[in-house]
């Protein structure tokens, strides 16, 4: 029994290129999501001010 060897995974150091590629991909994905969110908020704000300018909505509370 003493002659049996257990197979272990060989641990290597971190791959710098692989980490850079993964970081770049995650950064671009997060940046893209942030820009889509920002563009959506801009669209909502622009629509609000367009309606305000046309007089379809008002920010003044009507007196009763």
């Amino acid at each position: 029994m003493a002659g049996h060897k257990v197979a272990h995974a060989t641990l290597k150091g971190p791959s710098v290129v692989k980490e850079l590629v993964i970081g770049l991909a995650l950064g671009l994905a997060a940046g893209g999501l942030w820009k889509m969110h920002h563009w959506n908020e801009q669209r909502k704000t622009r629509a609000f001010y367009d309606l305000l300018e046309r007089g379809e909505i008002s920010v003044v509370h009507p007196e009763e």
Side-chain angles (χ1 to χ4, degrees):
M1 289 276 189
H4 292 271
K5 290 190 177 186
V6 180
H8 289 289
T10 327
L11 296 178
K12 294 195 283 185
S15 171
V16 176
V17 175
K18 184 178 175 183
E19 286 191 23
L20 284 173
V21 169
I22 290 172
L24 182 66
L26 290 174
L28 287 173
L33 288 173
W34 177 253
K35 286 303 282 185
M36 288 190 329
H37 168 73
H38 179 70
W39 289 332
N40 190 36
E41 290 299 316
Q42 262 187 332
R43 183 185 53 79
K44 286 194 260 183
T45 303
R46 196 175 305 121
F48 170 77
Y49 281 109
D50 286 343
L51 290 173
L52 192 62
E53 189 174 318
R54 285 184 279 176
E56 294 181 24
I57 60 171
S58 174
V59 292
V60 179
H61 190 287
E63 301 219 9
E64 295 181 35

